[in-house]
Coordinates of all heavy atoms in Angstrom, one line a residue:
R1463 N 21.4 -4.3 70.2 CA 20.2 -4.9 71.0 C 20.5 -5.1 72.4 O 19.6 -5.3 73.2 CB 19.7 -6.1 70.3 CG 20.5 -7.3 70.6 CD 20.2 -8.6 69.8 NE 20.6 -8.5 68.4 CZ 20.6 -9.5 67.6 NH1 20.2 -10.7 68.0 NH2 21.1 -9.3 66.3
F1464 N 21.8 -5.2 72.8 CA 22.2 -5.5 74.2 C 22.3 -4.2 75.0 O 22.2 -4.2 76.2 CB 23.5 -6.2 74.3 CG 23.4 -7.6 73.7 CD1 23.6 -7.8 72.4 CD2 23.1 -8.7 74.6 CE1 23.5 -9.1 71.8 CE2 23.0 -10.0 74.1 CZ 23.2 -10.2 72.7
L1465 N 22.5 -3.0 74.3 CA 22.8 -1.8 75.1 C 21.7 -1.4 76.0 O 22.0 -0.9 77.1 CB 23.1 -0.7 74.1 CG 24.4 -0.8 73.4 CD1 24.6 0.3 72.3 CD2 25.6 -0.9 74.3
P1466 N 20.4 -1.6 75.7 CA 19.3 -1.2 76.6 C 19.5 -1.9 78.0 O 18.9 -1.4 79.0 CB 18.0 -1.6 75.9 CG 18.4 -1.5 74.5 CD 19.8 -1.9 74.4
H1467 N 20.2 -3.0 78.1 CA 20.4 -3.7 79.3 C 21.3 -2.9 80.3 O 21.4 -3.2 81.5 CB 20.9 -5.1 79.1 CG 19.9 -6.0 78.5 ND1 18.9 -6.7 79.2 CD2 19.6 -6.2 77.1 CE1 18.1 -7.3 78.3 NE2 18.6 -7.0 77.1
F1468 N 22.0 -1.9 79.8 CA 22.8 -1.0 80.6 C 22.0 0.2 81.1 O 22.6 1.1 81.7 CB 24.1 -0.5 79.9 CG 25.1 -1.6 79.7 CD1 25.8 -1.8 78.5 CD2 25.5 -2.4 80.7 CE1 26.8 -2.7 78.3 CE2 26.5 -3.4 80.6 CZ 27.1 -3.5 79.4
G1469 N 20.7 0.2 80.8 CA 19.9 1.4 81.3 C 19.0 1.8 80.2 O 19.1 1.4 79.0
L1470 N 18.0 2.7 80.6 CA 17.1 3.2 79.6 C 17.8 4.1 78.6 O 18.3 5.1 79.0 CB 16.0 3.9 80.3 CG 14.7 4.3 79.6 CD1 14.0 3.0 79.1 CD2 13.8 5.1 80.4
I1471 N 17.9 3.8 77.3 CA 18.6 4.6 76.4 C 17.7 4.8 75.1 O 16.9 4.1 74.8 CB 20.0 4.0 76.0 CG1 19.8 2.7 75.3 CG2 20.8 3.9 77.2 CD1 21.0 2.2 74.6
D1472 N 18.1 6.0 74.5 CA 17.4 6.4 73.2 C 18.1 5.7 72.1 O 19.2 6.2 71.7 CB 17.4 7.9 73.1 CG 16.9 8.4 71.8 OD1 16.4 7.6 71.0 OD2 16.9 9.6 71.6
T1473 N 17.6 4.6 71.5 CA 18.3 3.9 70.5 C 18.4 4.7 69.2 O 19.2 4.3 68.3 CB 17.6 2.5 70.2 OG1 16.2 2.7 70.0 CG2 17.8 1.6 71.3
N1474 N 17.6 5.8 69.0 CA 17.8 6.6 67.8 C 19.1 7.3 67.8 O 19.5 7.8 66.7 CB 16.7 7.7 67.8 CG 15.3 7.2 67.6 OD1 15.2 6.2 66.8 ND2 14.3 7.7 68.3
R1475 N 19.8 7.4 68.9 CA 21.1 8.0 68.9 C 22.3 7.0 68.7 O 23.4 7.4 68.8 CB 21.3 8.7 70.2 CG 20.4 10.0 70.2 CD 20.4 10.7 71.6 NE 21.7 11.1 72.1 CZ 21.9 11.6 73.3 NH1 20.9 11.7 74.1 NH2 23.1 12.0 73.6
I1476 N 21.9 5.8 68.4 CA 22.9 4.7 68.2 C 23.2 4.6 66.7 O 22.2 4.5 65.9 CB 22.6 3.4 68.8 CG1 22.5 3.6 70.3 CG2 23.6 2.3 68.4 CD1 22.0 2.4 71.0
V1477 N 24.4 4.6 66.2 CA 24.8 4.4 64.8 C 25.4 3.0 64.8 O 26.6 2.8 65.3 CB 25.8 5.5 64.3 CG1 26.1 5.2 62.9 CG2 25.2 6.9 64.6
P1478 N 24.7 2.0 64.2 CA 25.3 0.7 64.1 C 26.5 0.6 63.1 O 26.3 1.1 62.0 CB 24.1 -0.2 63.7 CG 22.9 0.7 63.6 CD 23.4 2.1 63.6
V1479 N 27.6 0.1 63.5 CA 28.7 0.0 62.6 C 28.5 -1.4 61.9 O 28.5 -2.4 62.5 CB 30.1 0.0 63.4 CG1 31.2 -0.2 62.4 CG2 30.2 1.3 64.1
N1480 N 28.3 -1.3 60.6 CA 27.9 -2.5 59.9 C 28.6 -2.7 58.5 O 28.1 -3.4 57.7 CB 26.4 -2.4 59.6 CG 26.0 -1.1 58.9 OD1 26.9 -0.4 58.4 ND2 24.7 -0.8 58.8
K1481 N 29.8 -2.1 58.4 CA 30.6 -2.4 57.2 C 32.1 -2.4 57.6 O 32.4 -1.8 58.6 CB 30.3 -1.5 56.0 CG 30.2 -0.1 56.4 CD 29.7 0.7 55.1 CE 29.2 2.0 55.6 NZ 28.5 2.8 54.5
P1482 N 32.9 -3.0 56.8 CA 34.3 -3.2 57.2 C 35.0 -1.9 57.4 O 35.8 -1.8 58.4 CB 34.9 -3.9 56.0 CG 33.8 -4.7 55.4 CD 32.6 -3.8 55.5
R1483 N 34.8 -0.9 56.6 CA 35.4 0.5 56.9 C 34.3 1.5 56.9 O 33.5 1.5 56.0 CB 36.4 0.8 55.8 CG 37.6 -0.1 55.6 CD 38.4 0.2 54.4 NE 39.3 1.4 54.7 CZ 40.4 1.7 54.0 NH1 40.7 0.9 53.0 NH2 41.1 2.8 54.2

Side-chain angles (χ1 to χ4, degrees):
R1463 77 188 75 164
F1464 293 85
L1465 291 176
H1467 292 273
F1468 287 136
L1470 193 61
I1471 63 167
D1472 175 4
T1473 49
N1474 290 322
R1475 287 170 62 187
I1476 297 175
V1477 181
V1479 180
N1480 55 10
K1481 45 189 163 186
R1483 298 174 76 162

